[in-house]
Amino acid sequence: KNEVEQSPQNLTAQEGEFITINCSYSVGISALHWLQQHPGGGIVSLFMLSSGKKKHGRLIATINIQEKHSSLHITASHPRDSAVYICAVRSISTDKLIFGTGTRLQVFP
Amino acid sequence: SQTIHQWPATLVQPVGSPLSLECTVEGTSNPNLYWYRQAAGRGLQLLFYSVGIGQISSEVPQNLSASRPQDRQFILSSKKLLLSDSGFYLCAFRVKGLGRNSPLHFGNGTRLTVT
């Protein structure tokens, strides 16, 4: 079992829909990151969370430390949101980043 | 502003040939530098990281090596490529002094196909 699991693996949506991507992890962490990988391959950091909730534009990220779970929400989704969304955690014990395998999101007009 | 350049974007090389992928950073000094590989269906795997010129740490045993000849230059190399070296390689940097959980800034990646 991977230490970082994302669900779903693939997600399709119609423009305007509310999107939720989930990340569960099994190790103690100091922080959790959400990343966006564009179709060309480049990766952009979206959020770093250690507790609570963060919002940036139409993106909202939440984390529940007790349940070892984080969600990334996209409100009013748009085709330009189509990308792979990657969850990564920094392990307290090894101090290294562990990456999930990503969720591929396609938003259709 | 801080930027990272990685090239080439795609590369097709025969088995047994050498490899050199280059990455340069602009807009910051003495960054931490990283090489990652992304295989299909797997999370990013850290290959090498560097905290300074000439300082390279290897995370996994493999057919590849890394070098940092200048402060903002990071090179991934191989003397003889294997078929299993095919994959998507990403260079990244982190600005020092902002904490271990400050953002990683990634290049656009190199898709390597070994034939």
mmCIF file of all heavy atoms in Angstrom, chain A residues 5-9 37 40 44 77 79 100 105 107 109:
data_model
loop_
_atom_site.group_PDB
_atom_site.id
_atom_site.type_symbol
_atom_site.label_atom_id
_atom_site.label_comp_id
_atom_site.label_asym_id
_atom_site.label_seq_id
_atom_site.Cartn_x
_atom_site.Cartn_y
_atom_site.Cartn_z
ATOM 1 N N GLU A 5 -2.111 8.036 -0.863
ATOM 2 C CA GLU A 5 -3.103 7.544 -1.813
ATOM 3 C C GLU A 5 -4.013 8.688 -2.232
ATOM 4 O O GLU A 5 -4.533 9.409 -1.370
ATOM 5 C CB GLU A 5 -3.949 6.436 -1.175
ATOM 6 C CG GLU A 5 -3.181 5.185 -0.780
ATOM 7 C CD GLU A 5 -3.079 4.188 -1.921
ATOM 8 O OE1 GLU A 5 -3.572 4.477 -3.019
ATOM 9 O OE2 GLU A 5 -2.505 3.114 -1.698
ATOM 10 N N GLN A 6 -4.219 8.795 -3.534
ATOM 11 C CA GLN A 6 -5.137 9.819 -4.027
ATOM 12 C C GLN A 6 -6.339 9.160 -4.681
ATOM 13 O O GLN A 6 -6.241 8.098 -5.283
ATOM 14 C CB GLN A 6 -4.447 10.714 -5.063
ATOM 15 C CG GLN A 6 -3.428 11.645 -4.472
ATOM 16 C CD GLN A 6 -2.872 12.587 -5.504
ATOM 17 O OE1 GLN A 6 -1.659 12.662 -5.696
ATOM 18 N NE2 GLN A 6 -3.754 13.345 -6.177
ATOM 19 N N SER A 7 -7.476 9.839 -4.563
ATOM 20 C CA SER A 7 -8.684 9.363 -5.254
ATOM 21 C C SER A 7 -9.525 10.551 -5.702
ATOM 22 O O SER A 7 -9.550 11.584 -5.023
ATOM 23 C CB SER A 7 -9.502 8.458 -4.317
ATOM 24 O OG SER A 7 -9.965 9.193 -3.195
ATOM 25 N N PRO A 8 -10.196 10.420 -6.843
ATOM 26 C CA PRO A 8 -10.049 9.301 -7.763
ATOM 27 C C PRO A 8 -8.756 9.424 -8.574
ATOM 28 O O PRO A 8 -8.073 10.437 -8.498
ATOM 29 C CB PRO A 8 -11.276 9.477 -8.669
ATOM 30 C CG PRO A 8 -11.488 10.952 -8.704
ATOM 31 C CD PRO A 8 -11.130 11.447 -7.343
ATOM 32 N N GLN A 9 -8.445 8.393 -9.346
ATOM 33 C CA GLN A 9 -7.265 8.473 -10.215
ATOM 34 C C GLN A 9 -7.552 9.349 -11.424
ATOM 35 O O GLN A 9 -6.665 10.059 -11.916
ATOM 36 C CB GLN A 9 -6.869 7.076 -10.689
ATOM 37 C CG GLN A 9 -6.214 6.227 -9.622
ATOM 38 C CD GLN A 9 -5.707 4.913 -10.190
ATOM 39 O OE1 GLN A 9 -6.436 4.233 -10.912
ATOM 40 N NE2 GLN A 9 -4.486 4.560 -9.870
ATOM 41 N N GLN A 37 0.101 19.642 -12.214
ATOM 42 C CA GLN A 37 0.973 19.339 -13.341
ATOM 43 C C GLN A 37 0.204 19.567 -14.631
ATOM 44 O O GLN A 37 -0.790 18.909 -14.912
ATOM 45 C CB GLN A 37 1.486 17.902 -13.284
ATOM 46 C CG GLN A 37 2.485 17.579 -14.390
ATOM 47 C CD GLN A 37 3.206 16.257 -14.175
ATOM 48 O OE1 GLN A 37 2.664 15.349 -13.556
ATOM 49 N NE2 GLN A 37 4.429 16.158 -14.660
ATOM 50 N N GLY A 40 1.677 19.784 -20.453
ATOM 51 C CA GLY A 40 3.033 19.769 -20.993
ATOM 52 C C GLY A 40 4.057 19.169 -20.040
ATOM 53 O O GLY A 40 5.181 18.860 -20.444
ATOM 54 N N VAL A 44 3.414 23.091 -10.808
ATOM 55 C CA VAL A 44 3.287 24.325 -10.039
ATOM 56 C C VAL A 44 2.792 23.982 -8.644
ATOM 57 O O VAL A 44 1.884 23.155 -8.491
ATOM 58 C CB VAL A 44 2.288 25.278 -10.724
ATOM 59 C CG1 VAL A 44 2.039 26.503 -9.868
ATOM 60 C CG2 VAL A 44 2.787 25.685 -12.087
ATOM 61 N N SER A 77 -15.592 24.907 -11.894
ATOM 62 C CA SER A 77 -14.471 24.393 -12.686
ATOM 63 C C SER A 77 -14.538 24.896 -14.130
ATOM 64 O O SER A 77 -15.614 25.197 -14.681
ATOM 65 C CB SER A 77 -14.476 22.867 -12.664
ATOM 66 O OG SER A 77 -15.698 22.362 -13.179
ATOM 67 N N PRO A 79 -12.402 24.515 -18.160
ATOM 68 C CA PRO A 79 -11.497 23.645 -18.927
ATOM 69 C C PRO A 79 -10.019 23.892 -18.653
ATOM 70 O O PRO A 79 -9.211 22.967 -18.717
ATOM 71 C CB PRO A 79 -11.862 23.952 -20.374
ATOM 72 C CG PRO A 79 -13.320 24.273 -20.317
ATOM 73 C CD PRO A 79 -13.500 25.015 -19.018
ATOM 74 N N GLY A 100 2.021 11.372 -4.044
ATOM 75 C CA GLY A 100 0.973 10.522 -4.564
ATOM 76 C C GLY A 100 1.125 10.364 -6.065
ATOM 77 O O GLY A 100 1.956 11.044 -6.696
ATOM 78 N N LEU A 105 -7.536 15.287 -13.969
ATOM 79 C CA LEU A 105 -8.826 15.970 -14.096
ATOM 80 C C LEU A 105 -8.992 16.519 -15.510
ATOM 81 O O LEU A 105 -8.097 17.177 -16.031
ATOM 82 C CB LEU A 105 -8.912 17.133 -13.095
ATOM 83 C CG LEU A 105 -10.093 18.092 -13.270
ATOM 84 C CD1 LEU A 105 -11.410 17.372 -12.985
ATOM 85 C CD2 LEU A 105 -9.939 19.320 -12.375
ATOM 86 N N VAL A 107 -11.850 18.799 -17.558
ATOM 87 C CA VAL A 107 -13.075 19.582 -17.495
ATOM 88 C C VAL A 107 -13.487 19.931 -18.915
ATOM 89 O O VAL A 107 -12.727 20.553 -19.658
ATOM 90 C CB VAL A 107 -12.872 20.864 -16.666
ATOM 91 C CG1 VAL A 107 -14.196 21.632 -16.581
ATOM 92 C CG2 VAL A 107 -12.348 20.549 -15.272
ATOM 93 N N PRO A 109 -16.079 21.713 -21.771
ATOM 94 C CA PRO A 109 -16.967 22.885 -21.874
ATOM 95 C C PRO A 109 -18.416 22.467 -22.100
ATOM 96 O O PRO A 109 -18.715 21.352 -22.471
ATOM 97 C CB PRO A 109 -16.407 23.640 -23.093
ATOM 98 C CG PRO A 109 -15.612 22.658 -23.850
ATOM 99 C CD PRO A 109 -15.130 21.601 -22.879
#
